[in-house]
Amino acid sequence: METEVLKPSIEVLKKAAELIKRGEVVGIPTETVYGLAANAYDSKACAKIFEAKGRPQDNPLIIHISSLDMLRNSVREIPPLALTLADNFWSGPLTMIFPKKDIVPDTTSGGLDTVAVRMPDNEDTLNLIEMCGFPLAAPSANLSGSPSPTSADHVYNDMKGRIPLIIDGGECEKGVESTVICFTDNGTAVKILRPGAVTEEMLSQFCKVETDKNVFAKPQENEKVISPGVKYKHYSPKAEIIIIETDDEKALAEFLNSKKQENVYGVIFGNEQGIEINTLSYGITAEEQAHNLFALLRRTDELGVKTAYVRCPEKNGVGTAVFNRLLRAAAFNIIKI
Ligand code: TXA
Ligand code: MG
């Protein structure tokens, strides 16, 4: 199959909608990462997503909507708190989990009785969903296990020959996937299953918020997890990733300089002094780091990096999302100095 990469226009969106209505899979831009989209109500079409990604069948998909009507059509119960959060954070990087209606097939929900829903903040993609008239199921558009794609190039790299069309909406603004929450305490509180650009601090303005322990911990083998995604190896480039946690920049420089060797890199914020080994920088603020992280992990592959020592981000705000992704890319390998 030939894979076209096209900039969004009315014609291109129409073409994408036609392909999706016929049961095909299309690469779409969102404000978080690129998605691999198919008709969320069509079991066969969603099966093609799993095939294109090489994704385990029990890992459920997020469905992307363009209106609250599509939410009502897809889920059985909507707590009032969900409408408040939708009002404040949609369209945007917040995914909420609801009990699903039968119209959402088991293939989409990974066999669960629930479905994850979000309204993405991308005008072209919202128009595309409108044109289709049904929600689009879309996981991140990477091969399963690889870093999520934040540009059409990344999608093309992973998906060429596997899907007919990628809509090139430029670089994704946020760079990390949406915050995933479920409701607790009879729909009056929430639990964060995956941190993202909608932070615990932001959600706390509206309700009680807790963060699932698996956000920063490695699930035990055979542990029953709420979000199946946390079980799988994630975001892994070929390089070995090791997180270095320290507040002491002199100690960081000394540690990295002791590792000077071909194909060994330090991944730093970019304002550190005295580092003599190869470096890549991923930005000073958590927002910059989130925006750059996945492109940087892919860059280590292009450079043939053997080991990358990555400076640990701040563990608050959007930094929690960066830290959560890095922990998985590093297979929880973290050194404190
Ligand atoms: O920003 C995003 O969320 C991107 C863009 C494309 O929208 N999508 C994305 O999808 O990251 P994916 O499939 O790569 O990650 C979805 C996560 C997985 O960890 C999955 O286990 C969890 O959401 N999830 C989906 N449905 C769920 C459900 N019903 N219950 C619990 N977790 C669920
Ligand atoms: Mg993913």
Side-chain angles (χ1 to χ4, degrees):
M1 178 188 307
E2 208 193 314
T3 303
E4 280 191 289
V5 182
L6 299 173
K7 294 243 155 53
S9 64
I10 292 291
E11 288 70 39
V12 168
L13 294 181
K14 269 192 193 149
K15 181 175 180 151
E18 284 315 312
L19 282 165
I20 291 170
K21 284 180 189 168
R22 270 194 266 135
E24 293 298 330
V25 177
V26 171
I28 58 162
T30 84
E31 81 283 24
T32 57
V33 301
Y34 275 74
L36 214 49
N39 180 349
Y41 296 156
D42 178 344
S43 172
K44 265 199 196 147
C46 288
K48 284 193 189 169
I49 296 178
F50 286 88
E51 197 185 305
K53 266 185 79 93
R55 180 179 177 111
Q57 303 277 335
D58 71 341
N59 195 359
L61 306 175
I62 294 173
I63 74 171
H64 297 69
I65 58 170
S66 57
S67 68
L68 288 180
D69 280 343
M70 283 189 189
L71 174 68
R72 288 185 198 101
N73 197 46
S74 308
V75 312
R76 286 200 310 270
E77 265 165 62
I78 305 173
L81 174 59
L83 293 175
T84 305
L85 296 180
D87 216 27
N88 284 277
F89 298 110
W90 280 356
S91 45
L94 179 69
T95 296
M96 302 190 246
I97 295 172
F98 301 92
K100 77 170 186 72
K101 282 189 178 161
D102 288 342
I103 192 169
V104 179
D106 283 346
T107 315
T108 307
S109 70
L112 296 175
D113 189 35
T114 53
V115 63
V117 185
R118 88 174 187 101
M119 191 184 289
D121 185 19
N122 180 293
E123 222 181 288
D124 295 313
T125 291
L126 288 172
N127 284 336
L128 174 64
I129 301 169
E130 271 311 295
M131 286 179 186
C132 289
F134 46 73
L136 299 182
S140 50
N142 51 290
L143 287 172
S144 199
S146 294
S148 295
T150 54
S151 74
D153 266 1
H154 298 163
V155 182
Y156 186 74
N157 252 313
D158 283 17
M159 290 298 149
K160 61 174 170 291
R162 292 169 180 260
I163 58 174
L165 174 64
I166 298 163
I167 300 174
D168 179 359
E171 270 183 36
C172 300
E173 182 204 336
K174 302 294 182 195
V176 289
E177 307 88 339
S178 61
T179 305
V180 178
I181 60 171
C182 64
F183 293 93
T184 58
D185 298 359
N186 282 319
T188 62
V190 304
K191 186 186 250 188
I192 296 177
L193 304 180
R194 180 178 73 182
V198 172
T199 62
E200 180 172 338
E201 293 84 344
M202 289 157 78
L203 291 165
S204 299
Q205 295 181 298
F206 302 96
C207 60
K208 199 178 101 215
V209 184
E210 67 176 316
T211 295
D212 191 67
K213 69 176 176 40
N214 284 323
V215 163
F216 299 117
K218 192 172 168 173
Q220 302 299 308
E221 241 173 275
N222 298 324
E223 179 182 341
K224 200 168 178 323
V225 292
I226 309 177
S227 184
V230 305
K231 283 189 304 196
Y232 299 106
K233 194 170 148 88
H234 257 115
Y235 316 120
S236 308
K238 293 186 188 75
E240 179 186 26
I241 305 289
I242 299 169
I243 302 171
I244 305 300
E245 183 169 5
T246 183
D247 292 330
D248 182 344
E249 286 197 8
K250 218 170 134 217
L252 175 73
E254 272 169 23
F255 176 88
L256 291 177
N257 292 343
S258 77
K259 301 290 177 190
K260 196 167 189 169
Q261 209 189 316
E262 219 187 337
N263 298 329
V264 171
Y265 277 69
V267 177
I268 56 177
F269 298 167
N271 57 355
E272 295 88 342
Q273 304 290 316
I275 295 170
E276 288 155 12
I277 70 167
N278 294 320
T279 57
L280 293 166
S281 54
Y282 74 125
I284 315 284
T285 66
E287 284 75 15
E288 286 169 346
Q289 292 164 359
H291 178 83
N292 293 324
L293 179 70
F294 289 137
L296 188 131
L297 291 177
R298 283 178 182 259
R299 182 88 186 111
T300 62
D301 277 349
E302 288 163 18
L303 290 169
V305 175
K306 191 172 130 274
T307 308
Y309 292 96
V310 184
R311 183 168 181 192
C312 190
E314 296 273 349
K315 295 180 196 164
N316 52 46
V318 180
T320 56
V322 180
F323 183 52
N324 167 273
R325 307 311 189 272
L326 257 182
L327 269 176
R328 281 156 180 84
F332 295 87
N333 196 349
I334 179 162
I335 299 174
K336 294 188 185 163
I337 53 175

